[in-house]
């Protein structure tokens, strides 16, 4: 399995998880020349910009460990780009979803970074 297809499967698992939690997935892999957002979802008037981190094994460490201050800055920039492009004026949050193992299980979620 290629890294790209693994990433797509992890993002698909995250999208299904969000839908089961009552979210409406607005976009997957939203991109501009400068940034990308893995999953954008909405629930109860709040838009969530989700970074999806996949790890094959726990020995690789937590995927959420890779949400560094630099990554948070990139995520904020990407969210603000989407907000501007869609003239969105409502509430939004950054979140991270960790997906692990061959079954692509959701192992951690941080809702408000």
């Amino acid at each position: 399995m290629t890294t790209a297809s693994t990433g797509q499967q992890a993002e698909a698992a995250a999208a299904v998880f969000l839908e089961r939690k009552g979210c409406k997935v607005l976009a997957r892999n939203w991109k501009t020349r400068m940034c990308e957002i893995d999953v954008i979802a909405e629930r109860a008037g709040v838009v969530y910009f989700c970074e999806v981190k996949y790890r094959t094994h726990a020995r690789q460490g937590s995927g959420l460990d890779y949400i560094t201050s630099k990554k948070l800055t990139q995520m904020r920039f990407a969210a603000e780009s989407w907000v501007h492009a869609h003239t969105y004026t409502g509430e939004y949050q950054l979140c991270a979803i960790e997906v692990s193992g061959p079954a692509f299980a959701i192992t951690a979620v941080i809702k408000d970074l």
Side-chain angles (χ1 to χ4, degrees), residues 7 10 22 33 35 47 49 52 64 67 77 81 83 85 89 95 99 112:
R33 288 184 310 114
C35 59
V47 172
F49 298 99
V52 178
L64 299 182
I67 306 292
F77 177 81
S81 296
V83 164
T89 58
C95 75
V99 181
D112 192 9

Side-chain angles (χ1 to χ4, degrees), residues 36-81:
E36 176 187 1
I37 302 168
D38 293 332
V39 180
I40 304 170
E42 183 271 332
R43 180 177 175 204
V46 178
V47 172
Y48 295 91
F49 298 99
C50 304
E51 177 70 15
V52 178
K53 293 294 186 183
Y54 175 77
R55 293 293 170 267
T56 306
H57 305 283
R59 68 179 174 259
Q60 293 175 295
S62 169
L64 299 182
D65 290 342
Y66 293 87
I67 306 292
T68 62
S69 60
K70 180 179 178 180
K71 185 61 181 175
L72 279 172
T73 298
Q74 292 171 340
M75 289 173 68
R76 283 187 196 101
F77 177 81
E80 290 167 7
S81 296

Side-chain angles (χ1 to χ4, degrees), residues 87-101:
T87 59
Y88 180 73
T89 58
E91 183 180 346
Y92 64 92
Q93 294 181 357
L94 302 179
C95 75
I97 300 173
E98 181 182 76
V99 181
S100 299

